[in-house]
PDB file of all heavy atoms in Angstrom:
ATOM      1  N   VAL A 322     115.392 103.492  39.065  1.00 97.00           N
ATOM      2  CA  VAL A 322     114.761 104.468  39.950  1.00 97.00           C
ATOM      3  C   VAL A 322     113.794 103.754  40.892  1.00 97.00           C
ATOM      4  O   VAL A 322     113.351 102.629  40.638  1.00 97.00           O
ATOM      5  CB  VAL A 322     114.015 105.558  39.150  1.00 97.00           C
ATOM      6  CG1 VAL A 322     114.974 106.296  38.252  1.00 97.00           C
ATOM      7  CG2 VAL A 322     112.879 104.943  38.329  1.00 97.00           C
ATOM      8  N   THR A 324     110.671 104.579  44.304  1.00 97.00           N
ATOM      9  CA  THR A 324     109.919 105.506  45.150  1.00 97.00           C
ATOM     10  C   THR A 324     109.418 104.752  46.370  1.00 97.00           C
ATOM     11  O   THR A 324     109.042 103.577  46.278  1.00 97.00           O
ATOM     12  CB  THR A 324     108.738 106.145  44.396  1.00 97.00           C
ATOM     13  OG1 THR A 324     108.038 107.021  45.283  1.00 97.00           O
ATOM     14  CG2 THR A 324     107.770 105.101  43.863  1.00 97.00           C
ATOM     15  N   ALA A 354     113.142 108.240  45.365  1.00 97.00           N
ATOM     16  CA  ALA A 354     112.361 109.336  45.922  1.00 97.00           C
ATOM     17  C   ALA A 354     111.644 108.870  47.183  1.00 97.00           C
ATOM     18  O   ALA A 354     111.257 107.704  47.288  1.00 97.00           O
ATOM     19  CB  ALA A 354     111.352 109.834  44.899  1.00 97.00           C
ATOM     20  N   VAL A 434     105.798 120.040  45.041  1.00 96.00           N
ATOM     21  CA  VAL A 434     106.524 119.105  44.172  1.00 96.00           C
ATOM     22  C   VAL A 434     107.999 119.442  44.276  1.00 96.00           C
ATOM     23  O   VAL A 434     108.386 120.617  44.179  1.00 96.00           O
ATOM     24  CB  VAL A 434     106.059 119.192  42.703  1.00 96.00           C
ATOM     25  CG1 VAL A 434     106.786 118.152  41.855  1.00 96.00           C
ATOM     26  CG2 VAL A 434     104.557 118.999  42.603  1.00 96.00           C
ATOM     27  N   HIS A 436     111.283 119.168  42.389  1.00 96.00           N
ATOM     28  CA  HIS A 436     111.905 118.897  41.091  1.00 96.00           C
ATOM     29  C   HIS A 436     113.423 118.904  41.268  1.00 96.00           C
ATOM     30  O   HIS A 436     113.979 119.830  41.882  1.00 96.00           O
ATOM     31  CB  HIS A 436     111.518 119.954  40.062  1.00 96.00           C
ATOM     32  CG  HIS A 436     110.044 120.044  39.789  1.00 96.00           C
ATOM     33  ND1 HIS A 436     109.395 119.183  38.944  1.00 96.00           N
ATOM     34  CD2 HIS A 436     109.103 120.907  40.263  1.00 96.00           C
ATOM     35  CE1 HIS A 436     108.113 119.498  38.894  1.00 96.00           C
ATOM     36  NE2 HIS A 436     107.903 120.545  39.691  1.00 96.00           N
ATOM     37  N   ASN A 447     115.199 114.795  34.725  1.00 96.00           N
ATOM     38  CA  ASN A 447     114.444 115.608  35.678  1.00 96.00           C
ATOM     39  C   ASN A 447     113.507 114.714  36.484  1.00 96.00           C
ATOM     40  O   ASN A 447     112.624 114.057  35.944  1.00 96.00           O
ATOM     41  CB  ASN A 447     113.621 116.663  34.942  1.00 96.00           C
ATOM     42  CG  ASN A 447     112.920 117.600  35.909  1.00 96.00           C
ATOM     43  OD1 ASN A 447     113.531 118.500  36.474  1.00 96.00           O
ATOM     44  ND2 ASN A 447     111.633 117.382  36.115  1.00 96.00           N
ATOM     45  N   PHE A 448     113.716 114.684  37.799  1.00 97.00           N
ATOM     46  CA  PHE A 448     112.887 113.892  38.711  1.00 97.00           C
ATOM     47  C   PHE A 448     111.937 114.831  39.446  1.00 97.00           C
ATOM     48  O   PHE A 448     112.368 115.824  40.043  1.00 97.00           O
ATOM     49  CB  PHE A 448     113.750 113.132  39.713  1.00 97.00           C
ATOM     50  CG  PHE A 448     114.568 112.032  39.103  1.00 97.00           C
ATOM     51  CD1 PHE A 448     115.798 112.300  38.526  1.00 97.00           C
ATOM     52  CD2 PHE A 448     114.101 110.732  39.093  1.00 97.00           C
ATOM     53  CE1 PHE A 448     116.557 111.293  37.954  1.00 97.00           C
ATOM     54  CE2 PHE A 448     114.849 109.713  38.522  1.00 97.00           C
ATOM     55  CZ  PHE A 448     116.070 109.992  37.955  1.00 97.00           C
ATOM     56  N   SER A 449     110.652 114.496  39.402  1.00 96.00           N
ATOM     57  CA  SER A 449     109.631 115.284  40.096  1.00 96.00           C
ATOM     58  C   SER A 449     108.979 114.405  41.146  1.00 96.00           C
ATOM     59  O   SER A 449     108.278 113.444  40.811  1.00 96.00           O
ATOM     60  CB  SER A 449     108.581 115.802  39.108  1.00 96.00           C
ATOM     61  OG  SER A 449     109.195 116.585  38.100  1.00 96.00           O
ATOM     62  N   VAL A 450     109.220 114.721  42.419  1.00 97.00           N
ATOM     63  CA  VAL A 450     108.721 113.915  43.541  1.00 97.00           C
ATOM     64  C   VAL A 450     107.427 114.539  44.040  1.00 97.00           C
ATOM     65  O   VAL A 450     107.381 115.742  44.338  1.00 97.00           O
ATOM     66  CB  VAL A 450     109.747 113.836  44.685  1.00 97.00           C
ATOM     67  CG1 VAL A 450     109.282 112.859  45.756  1.00 97.00           C
ATOM     68  CG2 VAL A 450     111.108 113.438  44.146  1.00 97.00           C
ATOM     69  N   VAL A 451     106.359 113.722  44.143  1.00 96.00           N
ATOM     70  CA  VAL A 451     105.062 114.245  44.543  1.00 96.00           C
ATOM     71  C   VAL A 451     104.495 113.433  45.705  1.00 96.00           C
ATOM     72  O   VAL A 451     104.834 112.277  45.901  1.00 96.00           O
ATOM     73  CB  VAL A 451     104.053 114.203  43.367  1.00 96.00           C
ATOM     74  CG1 VAL A 451     104.569 114.995  42.185  1.00 96.00           C
ATOM     75  CG2 VAL A 451     103.739 112.772  42.955  1.00 96.00           C
ATOM     76  N   LEU A 453     100.559 113.774  46.492  1.00 94.00           N
ATOM     77  CA  LEU A 453      99.354 114.525  46.206  1.00 94.00           C
ATOM     78  C   LEU A 453      98.331 114.419  47.326  1.00 94.00           C
ATOM     79  O   LEU A 453      98.391 113.521  48.166  1.00 94.00           O
ATOM     80  CB  LEU A 453      98.742 114.041  44.891  1.00 94.00           C
ATOM     81  CG  LEU A 453      99.582 114.261  43.636  1.00 94.00           C
ATOM     82  CD1 LEU A 453      98.828 113.771  42.408  1.00 94.00           C
ATOM     83  CD2 LEU A 453      99.984 115.716  43.466  1.00 94.00           C
ATOM     84  N   VAL A 464      97.316 118.427  39.700  1.00 93.00           N
ATOM     85  CA  VAL A 464      97.857 117.743  38.520  1.00 93.00           C
ATOM     86  C   VAL A 464      97.916 118.703  37.335  1.00 93.00           C
ATOM     87  O   VAL A 464      98.896 118.715  36.572  1.00 93.00           O
ATOM     88  CB  VAL A 464      97.012 116.492  38.188  1.00 93.00           C
ATOM     89  CG1 VAL A 464      97.296 116.007  36.765  1.00 93.00           C
ATOM     90  CG2 VAL A 464      97.320 115.379  39.177  1.00 93.00           C
ATOM     91  N   ILE A 467     100.940 120.863  37.802  1.00 93.00           N
ATOM     92  CA  ILE A 467     102.187 120.134  37.498  1.00 93.00           C
ATOM     93  C   ILE A 467     102.372 120.023  35.988  1.00 93.00           C
ATOM     94  O   ILE A 467     103.474 120.236  35.459  1.00 93.00           O
ATOM     95  CB  ILE A 467     102.164 118.748  38.150  1.00 93.00           C
ATOM     96  CG1 ILE A 467     102.142 118.874  39.675  1.00 93.00           C
ATOM     97  CG2 ILE A 467     103.372 117.926  37.715  1.00 93.00           C
ATOM     98  CD1 ILE A 467     101.875 117.570  40.402  1.00 93.00           C
ATOM     99  N   MET A 468     101.290 119.706  35.259  1.00 92.00           N
ATOM    100  CA  MET A 468     101.365 119.584  33.809  1.00 92.00           C
ATOM    101  C   MET A 468     101.775 120.903  33.169  1.00 92.00           C
ATOM    102  O   MET A 468     102.586 120.938  32.231  1.00 92.00           O
ATOM    103  CB  MET A 468     100.014 119.112  33.269  1.00 92.00           C
ATOM    104  CG  MET A 468      99.673 117.672  33.634  1.00 92.00           C
ATOM    105  SD  MET A 468      97.919 117.267  33.430  1.00 92.00           S
ATOM    106  CE  MET A 468      97.673 117.645  31.708  1.00 92.00           C
ATOM    107  N   LEU A 471     105.549 121.499  33.682  1.00 91.00           N
ATOM    108  CA  LEU A 471     106.389 120.655  32.821  1.00 91.00           C
ATOM    109  C   LEU A 471     106.330 121.119  31.365  1.00 91.00           C
ATOM    110  O   LEU A 471     107.329 121.027  30.640  1.00 91.00           O
ATOM    111  CB  LEU A 471     105.947 119.197  32.945  1.00 91.00           C
ATOM    112  CG  LEU A 471     106.186 118.556  34.328  1.00 91.00           C
ATOM    113  CD1 LEU A 471     105.542 117.184  34.398  1.00 91.00           C
ATOM    114  CD2 LEU A 471     107.677 118.457  34.614  1.00 91.00           C
ATOM    115  N   PRO A 476     111.343 119.519  30.168  1.00 91.00           N
ATOM    116  CA  PRO A 476     112.452 118.578  30.416  1.00 91.00           C
ATOM    117  C   PRO A 476     112.343 117.381  29.465  1.00 91.00           C
ATOM    118  O   PRO A 476     111.268 116.792  29.300  1.00 91.00           O
ATOM    119  CB  PRO A 476     112.222 118.146  31.871  1.00 91.00           C
ATOM    120  CG  PRO A 476     110.758 118.306  32.083  1.00 91.00           C
ATOM    121  CD  PRO A 476     110.325 119.458  31.231  1.00 91.00           C
ATOM    122  N   TYR A 478     114.019 114.285  29.496  1.00 93.00           N
ATOM    123  CA  TYR A 478     113.902 113.013  30.214  1.00 93.00           C
ATOM    124  C   TYR A 478     113.244 113.297  31.567  1.00 93.00           C
ATOM    125  O   TYR A 478     113.910 113.628  32.541  1.00 93.00           O
ATOM    126  CB  TYR A 478     115.274 112.363  30.398  1.00 93.00           C
ATOM    127  CG  TYR A 478     115.982 112.100  29.086  1.00 93.00           C
ATOM    128  CD1 TYR A 478     117.058 112.900  28.681  1.00 93.00           C
ATOM    129  CD2 TYR A 478     115.567 111.084  28.247  1.00 93.00           C
ATOM    130  CE1 TYR A 478     117.702 112.674  27.485  1.00 93.00           C
ATOM    131  CE2 TYR A 478     116.210 110.847  27.041  1.00 93.00           C
ATOM    132  CZ  TYR A 478     117.272 111.650  26.662  1.00 93.00           C
ATOM    133  OH  TYR A 478     117.894 111.414  25.467  1.00 93.00           O
ATOM    134  N   SER A 479     111.939 113.199  31.571  1.00 95.00           N
ATOM    135  CA  SER A 479     111.157 113.568  32.755  1.00 95.00           C
ATOM    136  C   SER A 479     110.592 112.322  33.425  1.00 95.00           C
ATOM    137  O   SER A 479     110.016 111.448  32.758  1.00 95.00           O
ATOM    138  CB  SER A 479     110.022 114.511  32.355  1.00 95.00           C
ATOM    139  OG  SER A 479     109.194 114.803  33.457  1.00 95.00           O
ATOM    140  N   ILE A 480     110.732 112.259  34.760  1.00 95.00           N
ATOM    141  CA  ILE A 480     110.231 111.131  35.551  1.00 95.00           C
ATOM    142  C   ILE A 480     109.455 111.693  36.734  1.00 95.00           C
ATOM    143  O   ILE A 480     110.017 112.425  37.560  1.00 95.00           O
ATOM    144  CB  ILE A 480     111.386 110.241  36.052  1.00 95.00           C
ATOM    145  CG1 ILE A 480     112.232 109.743  34.883  1.00 95.00           C
ATOM    146  CG2 ILE A 480     110.851 109.066  36.865  1.00 95.00           C
ATOM    147  CD1 ILE A 480     113.565 109.146  35.291  1.00 95.00           C
ATOM    148  N   LEU A 481     108.164 111.373  36.797  1.00 96.00           N
ATOM    149  CA  LEU A 481     107.331 111.739  37.941  1.00 96.00           C
ATOM    150  C   LEU A 481     107.170 110.507  38.806  1.00 96.00           C
ATOM    151  O   LEU A 481     106.822 109.434  38.304  1.00 96.00           O
ATOM    152  CB  LEU A 481     105.945 112.219  37.490  1.00 96.00           C
ATOM    153  CG  LEU A 481     105.787 113.708  37.188  1.00 96.00           C
ATOM    154  CD1 LEU A 481     106.333 114.012  35.815  1.00 96.00           C
ATOM    155  CD2 LEU A 481     104.327 114.102  37.267  1.00 96.00           C
ATOM    156  N   LEU A 482     107.395 110.648  40.092  1.00 96.00           N
ATOM    157  CA  LEU A 482     107.303 109.489  40.977  1.00 96.00           C
ATOM    158  C   LEU A 482     106.937 109.939  42.384  1.00 96.00           C
ATOM    159  O   LEU A 482     107.235 111.059  42.787  1.00 96.00           O
ATOM    160  CB  LEU A 482     108.592 108.684  40.969  1.00 96.00           C
ATOM    161  CG  LEU A 482     109.886 109.280  41.537  1.00 96.00           C
ATOM    162  CD1 LEU A 482     110.985 108.207  41.497  1.00 96.00           C
ATOM    163  CD2 LEU A 482     110.383 110.500  40.795  1.00 96.00           C
ATOM    164  N   GLY A 483     106.282 109.021  43.107  1.00 96.00           N
ATOM    165  CA  GLY A 483     105.896 109.340  44.471  1.00 96.00           C
ATOM    166  C   GLY A 483     104.558 108.729  44.826  1.00 96.00           C
ATOM    167  O   GLY A 483     104.088 107.770  44.206  1.00 96.00           O
ATOM    168  N   PHE A 485     100.818 109.258  44.760  1.00 95.00           N
ATOM    169  CA  PHE A 485      99.811 110.050  44.059  1.00 95.00           C
ATOM    170  C   PHE A 485      98.452 110.000  44.760  1.00 95.00           C
ATOM    171  O   PHE A 485      97.515 110.643  44.302  1.00 95.00           O
ATOM    172  CB  PHE A 485      99.663 109.556  42.622  1.00 95.00           C
ATOM    173  CG  PHE A 485     100.839 109.882  41.742  1.00 95.00           C
ATOM    174  CD1 PHE A 485     101.984 109.120  41.772  1.00 95.00           C
ATOM    175  CD2 PHE A 485     100.799 110.971  40.888  1.00 95.00           C
ATOM    176  CE1 PHE A 485     103.069 109.423  40.968  1.00 95.00           C
ATOM    177  CE2 PHE A 485     101.872 111.293  40.085  1.00 95.00           C
ATOM    178  CZ  PHE A 485     103.022 110.517  40.118  1.00 95.00           C
ATOM    179  N   LEU A 495      95.075 111.143  37.422  1.00 90.00           N
ATOM    180  CA  LEU A 495      96.198 110.426  36.843  1.00 90.00           C
ATOM    181  C   LEU A 495      95.984 110.193  35.351  1.00 90.00           C
ATOM    182  O   LEU A 495      96.948 110.230  34.563  1.00 90.00           O
ATOM    183  CB  LEU A 495      96.382 109.089  37.568  1.00 90.00           C
ATOM    184  CG  LEU A 495      97.716 108.385  37.298  1.00 90.00           C
ATOM    185  CD1 LEU A 495      98.870 109.216  37.838  1.00 90.00           C
ATOM    186  CD2 LEU A 495      97.729 107.016  37.937  1.00 90.00           C
ATOM    187  N   LEU A 498      97.148 113.186  33.621  1.00 89.00           N
ATOM    188  CA  LEU A 498      98.604 113.292  33.655  1.00 89.00           C
ATOM    189  C   LEU A 498      99.252 112.374  32.631  1.00 89.00           C
ATOM    190  O   LEU A 498     100.232 112.745  31.961  1.00 89.00           O
ATOM    191  CB  LEU A 498      99.095 112.956  35.067  1.00 89.00           C
ATOM    192  CG  LEU A 498     100.549 113.274  35.431  1.00 89.00           C
ATOM    193  CD1 LEU A 498     100.865 114.731  35.173  1.00 89.00           C
ATOM    194  CD2 LEU A 498     100.826 112.935  36.886  1.00 89.00           C
ATOM    195  N   PHE A 525     102.467 116.757  26.794  1.00 83.00           N
ATOM    196  CA  PHE A 525     103.586 116.081  27.468  1.00 83.00           C
ATOM    197  C   PHE A 525     103.025 114.837  28.151  1.00 83.00           C
ATOM    198  O   PHE A 525     102.538 114.905  29.278  1.00 83.00           O
ATOM    199  CB  PHE A 525     104.212 117.035  28.497  1.00 83.00           C
ATOM    200  CG  PHE A 525     105.701 116.923  28.613  1.00 83.00           C
ATOM    201  CD1 PHE A 525     106.536 117.583  27.749  1.00 83.00           C
ATOM    202  CD2 PHE A 525     106.268 116.115  29.586  1.00 83.00           C
ATOM    203  CE1 PHE A 525     107.914 117.478  27.859  1.00 83.00           C
ATOM    204  CE2 PHE A 525     107.633 115.995  29.703  1.00 83.00           C
ATOM    205  CZ  PHE A 525     108.465 116.680  28.832  1.00 83.00           C
ATOM    206  N   TYR A 527     102.873 110.701  29.589  1.00 93.00           N
ATOM    207  CA  TYR A 527     103.700 109.813  30.411  1.00 93.00           C
ATOM    208  C   TYR A 527     103.192 108.380  30.316  1.00 93.00           C
ATOM    209  O   TYR A 527     102.035 108.129  29.962  1.00 93.00           O
ATOM    210  CB  TYR A 527     103.683 110.263  31.873  1.00 93.00           C
ATOM    211  CG  TYR A 527     104.480 111.515  32.126  1.00 93.00           C
ATOM    212  CD1 TYR A 527     103.893 112.763  31.945  1.00 93.00           C
ATOM    213  CD2 TYR A 527     105.799 111.461  32.528  1.00 93.00           C
ATOM    214  CE1 TYR A 527     104.608 113.927  32.162  1.00 93.00           C
ATOM    215  CE2 TYR A 527     106.531 112.606  32.746  1.00 93.00           C
ATOM    216  CZ  TYR A 527     105.935 113.837  32.567  1.00 93.00           C
ATOM    217  OH  TYR A 527     106.652 114.979  32.767  1.00 93.00           O
ATOM    218  N   ALA A 528     104.079 107.452  30.667  1.00 94.00           N
ATOM    219  CA  ALA A 528     103.730 106.033  30.736  1.00 94.00           C
ATOM    220  C   ALA A 528     103.852 105.573  32.180  1.00 94.00           C
ATOM    221  O   ALA A 528     104.850 105.870  32.857  1.00 94.00           O
ATOM    222  CB  ALA A 528     104.658 105.207  29.840  1.00 94.00           C
ATOM    223  N   ASP A 529     102.837 104.874  32.664  1.00 95.00           N
ATOM    224  CA  ASP A 529     102.867 104.285  34.003  1.00 95.00           C
ATOM    225  C   ASP A 529     103.745 103.039  33.944  1.00 95.00           C
ATOM    226  O   ASP A 529     103.438 102.082  33.228  1.00 95.00           O
ATOM    227  CB  ASP A 529     101.448 103.925  34.433  1.00 95.00           C
ATOM    228  CG  ASP A 529     101.366 103.449  35.874  1.00 95.00           C
ATOM    229  OD1 ASP A 529     102.317 102.786  36.341  1.00 95.00           O
ATOM    230  OD2 ASP A 529     100.354 103.725  36.537  1.00 95.00           O
ATOM    231  N   ALA A 530     104.855 103.043  34.699  1.00 95.00           N
ATOM    232  CA  ALA A 530     105.840 101.952  34.596  1.00 95.00           C
ATOM    233  C   ALA A 530     105.217 100.596  34.899  1.00 95.00           C
ATOM    234  O   ALA A 530     105.508  99.605  34.229  1.00 95.00           O
ATOM    235  CB  ALA A 530     107.014 102.228  35.530  1.00 95.00           C
ATOM    236  N   ARG A 557     103.592 105.308  42.411  1.00 95.00           N
ATOM    237  CA  ARG A 557     103.780 105.085  40.982  1.00 95.00           C
ATOM    238  C   ARG A 557     105.047 105.773  40.470  1.00 95.00           C
ATOM    239  O   ARG A 557     105.535 106.724  41.065  1.00 95.00           O
ATOM    240  CB  ARG A 557     102.571 105.593  40.191  1.00 95.00           C
ATOM    241  CG  ARG A 557     101.241 105.029  40.720  1.00 95.00           C
ATOM    242  CD  ARG A 557     100.164 105.075  39.701  1.00 95.00           C
ATOM    243  NE  ARG A 557      98.902 104.578  40.243  1.00 95.00           N
ATOM    244  CZ  ARG A 557      97.853 104.249  39.517  1.00 95.00           C
ATOM    245  NH1 ARG A 557      97.914 104.354  38.201  1.00 95.00           N
ATOM    246  NH2 ARG A 557      96.735 103.805  40.081  1.00 95.00           N
ATOM    247  N   ILE A 558     105.497 105.234  39.348  1.00 97.00           N
ATOM    248  CA  ILE A 558     106.614 105.836  38.608  1.00 97.00           C
ATOM    249  C   ILE A 558     106.110 106.095  37.198  1.00 97.00           C
ATOM    250  O   ILE A 558     105.715 105.160  36.481  1.00 97.00           O
ATOM    251  CB  ILE A 558     107.841 104.916  38.586  1.00 97.00           C
ATOM    252  CG1 ILE A 558     108.355 104.683  40.012  1.00 97.00           C
ATOM    253  CG2 ILE A 558     108.947 105.506  37.714  1.00 97.00           C
ATOM    254  CD1 ILE A 558     109.501 103.685  40.102  1.00 97.00           C
ATOM    255  N   LEU A 559     106.113 107.366  36.790  1.00 96.00           N
ATOM    256  CA  LEU A 559     105.666 107.756  35.453  1.00 96.00           C
ATOM    257  C   LEU A 559     106.864 108.286  34.674  1.00 96.00           C
ATOM    258  O   LEU A 559     107.606 109.139  35.172  1.00 96.00           O
ATOM    259  CB  LEU A 559     104.581 108.832  35.531  1.00 96.00           C
ATOM    260  CG  LEU A 559     103.402 108.571  36.479  1.00 96.00           C
ATOM    261  CD1 LEU A 559     102.402 109.710  36.387  1.00 96.00           C
ATOM    262  CD2 LEU A 559     102.743 107.248  36.178  1.00 96.00           C
ATOM    263  N   ALA A 560     107.051 107.772  33.464  1.00 95.00           N
ATOM    264  CA  ALA A 560     108.196 108.159  32.640  1.00 95.00           C
ATOM    265  C   ALA A 560     107.707 108.792  31.347  1.00 95.00           C
ATOM    266  O   ALA A 560     106.680 108.376  30.783  1.00 95.00           O
ATOM    267  CB  ALA A 560     109.067 106.949  32.344  1.00 95.00           C
ATOM    268  N   SER A 561     108.440 109.786  30.873  1.00 93.00           N
ATOM    269  CA  SER A 561     108.103 110.450  29.626  1.00 93.00           C
ATOM    270  C   SER A 561     107.988 109.423  28.502  1.00 93.00           C
ATOM    271  O   SER A 561     108.958 108.727  28.172  1.00 93.00           O
ATOM    272  CB  SER A 561     109.178 111.477  29.291  1.00 93.00           C
ATOM    273  OG  SER A 561     108.964 112.024  28.009  1.00 93.00           O
ATOM    274  N   LEU A 565     111.549 107.906  27.057  1.00 93.00           N
ATOM    275  CA  LEU A 565     111.971 106.845  27.970  1.00 93.00           C
ATOM    276  C   LEU A 565     111.121 105.600  27.776  1.00 93.00           C
ATOM    277  O   LEU A 565     109.907 105.690  27.574  1.00 93.00           O
ATOM    278  CB  LEU A 565     111.858 107.320  29.427  1.00 93.00           C
ATOM    279  CG  LEU A 565     112.806 108.439  29.860  1.00 93.00           C
ATOM    280  CD1 LEU A 565     112.420 108.977  31.230  1.00 93.00           C
ATOM    281  CD2 LEU A 565     114.251 107.949  29.871  1.00 93.00           C
ATOM    282  N   LEU A 776     114.503 102.170  33.479  1.00 95.00           N
ATOM    283  CA  LEU A 776     114.109 102.953  32.308  1.00 95.00           C
ATOM    284  C   LEU A 776     115.294 103.068  31.366  1.00 95.00           C
ATOM    285  O   LEU A 776     116.445 103.180  31.809  1.00 95.00           O
ATOM    286  CB  LEU A 776     113.636 104.339  32.728  1.00 95.00           C
ATOM    287  CG  LEU A 776     112.594 104.398  33.864  1.00 95.00           C
ATOM    288  CD1 LEU A 776     112.338 105.843  34.252  1.00 95.00           C
ATOM    289  CD2 LEU A 776     111.304 103.717  33.446  1.00 95.00           C
TER     290      LEU A 776
END
Side-chain angles (χ1 to χ4, degrees):
V322 300
T324 179
V434 183
H436 299 279
N447 185 77
F448 291 84
S449 302
V450 187
V451 302
L453 296 182
V464 164
I467 296 170
M468 291 163 58
L471 293 172
Y478 302 106
S479 176
I480 303 166
L481 271 80
L482 66 176
F485 289 80
L495 194 65
L498 192 55
F525 217 83
Y527 287 86
D529 186 325
R557 308 202 182 194
I558 298 175
L559 310 182
S561 173
L565 293 170
L776 310 174

